[in-house]
Amino acid sequence: MPDYDGAVVLAAIRTIQAATTSDAVISVLGQFIERYGFERIFLGQLVNPANVPLKDILYISDWPDELKAERERRMAILHDPIAIGALRSKRPFSWAEARRHATHAGRQVMDSVHDHGITDGMMFPMHALHSVSGGVSLGACGGLDLSLTHIAELEIVCQTAYYHLEGLLGPFPYQRVAELTVRETECVQFAAAGKTNWEIAKILGIQEDTVKKTLRRASDKLGAVNRAHLVASAIAKSQIFP
């Protein structure tokens, strides 16, 4: 494992930022991660494939074509503990750590990756304002021995590659995050706490009909079809506290 070399990290960052194609970005990232024992890259935005087709998201992977096709067919991301962990975590984590919290279906998803020789890895979650969550998942065909410094080096270069690609290939059609007004946020926040429209009206000192209209506007902004969907969407898009 290489010792810390700030010049190598800085050179990778500068080369990625100067790249004008996705292939060039991935080439630099691929060369950089080899120093740490990684061989595969899965980089993309984390969205429900039943709602958003792959052509409309940031999605780049050098995994085997057979494995990619299998995952797309099974909508594996919906059960993948690594993807789920990236939605919930702000810090990098190992695939082994994700597996410890996996459901039976989630372990099957990970096993299918292992069956293709990608046996270990790290996920680097990506979260930014005005964008959906994503991640850079690095795979290895053998064991890994990473220090906290190594992980920090990898994280900053992965972040550079991810956000450069998002800017290079975007904007994506769903990427703008609708901003709720203060009143809309208040009403949705109380709805998330299980309050009825009548209770919200009493708490805020407004008419119950005003609450209904406010929640309807918030639903329209977030593309929600009902109250539960509105709350879930507002939490997912960081519009309210969970």
Side-chain angles (χ1 to χ4, degrees):
M1 184 60 59
D3 293 328
Y4 174 71
D5 188 342
V8 172
V9 176
L10 185 57
I13 291 172
R14 287 178 170 171
T15 306
I16 287 171
Q17 290 178 330
T20 57
T21 67
S22 58
D23 287 345
V25 173
I26 295 302
S27 176
V28 176
L29 180 59
Q31 292 173 26
F32 182 80
I33 66 174
E34 284 179 359
R35 294 165 47 85
Y36 303 84
F38 293 103
E39 302 169 53
R40 297 286 188 173
I41 300 169
F42 186 101
L43 179 154
Q45 294 162 326
L46 299 173
V47 298
N48 185 339
N51 294 334
V52 183
L54 286 179
K55 66 180 181 63
D56 289 336
I57 70 171
L58 173 59
Y59 169 83
I60 297 175
S61 171
D62 64 1
W63 288 11
D65 290 340
E66 181 184 350
L67 175 58
K68 289 192 288 187
E70 176 187 340
R71 287 177 62 88
E72 290 169 22
R73 183 175 64 254
R74 297 173 56 189
M75 292 192 179
I77 193 173
L78 300 180
H79 301 286
D80 190 338
I82 299 169
I84 294 170
L87 286 174
R88 298 172 178 173
S89 177
K90 301 297 190 295
R91 64 171 182 81
F93 57 88
S94 68
W95 288 8
E97 186 179 353
R99 187 181 179 88
R100 287 196 293 270
H101 303 284
T103 62
H104 176 68
R107 289 192 295 273
Q108 288 182 321
V109 168
M110 293 193 71
D111 288 343
S112 70
V113 177
H114 294 175
D115 289 343
H116 284 79
I118 310 173
T119 57
D120 203 354
M122 288 283 302
M123 167 58 92
F124 296 87
M126 301 289 149
H127 300 280
L129 291 174
H130 309 299
S131 180
V132 297
S133 296
V136 180
S137 191
L138 304 180
C141 298
L144 297 169
D145 181 21
L146 300 172
S147 69
L148 292 177
T149 299
H150 295 146
I151 293 172
E153 292 169 10
L154 286 160
E155 183 177 23
I156 192 170
V157 175
C158 284
Q159 285 176 338
T160 302
Y162 181 90
Y163 292 118
H164 186 61
L165 284 167
E166 199 174 56
L168 197 64
L169 301 176
F172 298 96
Y174 59 88
Q175 203 168 334
R176 287 179 63 95
V177 177
E179 292 290 340
L180 301 182
T181 66
V182 173
R183 180 65 81 199
E184 289 164 354
T185 301
E186 289 175 332
C187 289
V188 177
Q189 191 74 72
F190 284 120
K195 303 298 183 183
T196 65
N197 289 350
W198 180 85
E199 290 173 320
I200 297 172
K202 291 298 181 182
I203 293 169
L204 297 178
I206 58 179
Q207 297 296 315
E208 185 174 354
D209 187 58
T210 301
V211 174
K212 291 179 183 178
K213 291 178 179 178
T214 302
L215 290 174
R216 191 177 302 119
R217 286 197 305 272
S219 294
D220 290 342
K221 284 185 178 181
L222 300 183
V225 297
N226 55 42
R227 195 181 189 93
H229 190 196
L230 170 60
V231 169
S233 296
I235 293 173
K237 295 176 180 179
S238 302
Q239 296 292 297
I240 63 172
F241 290 105

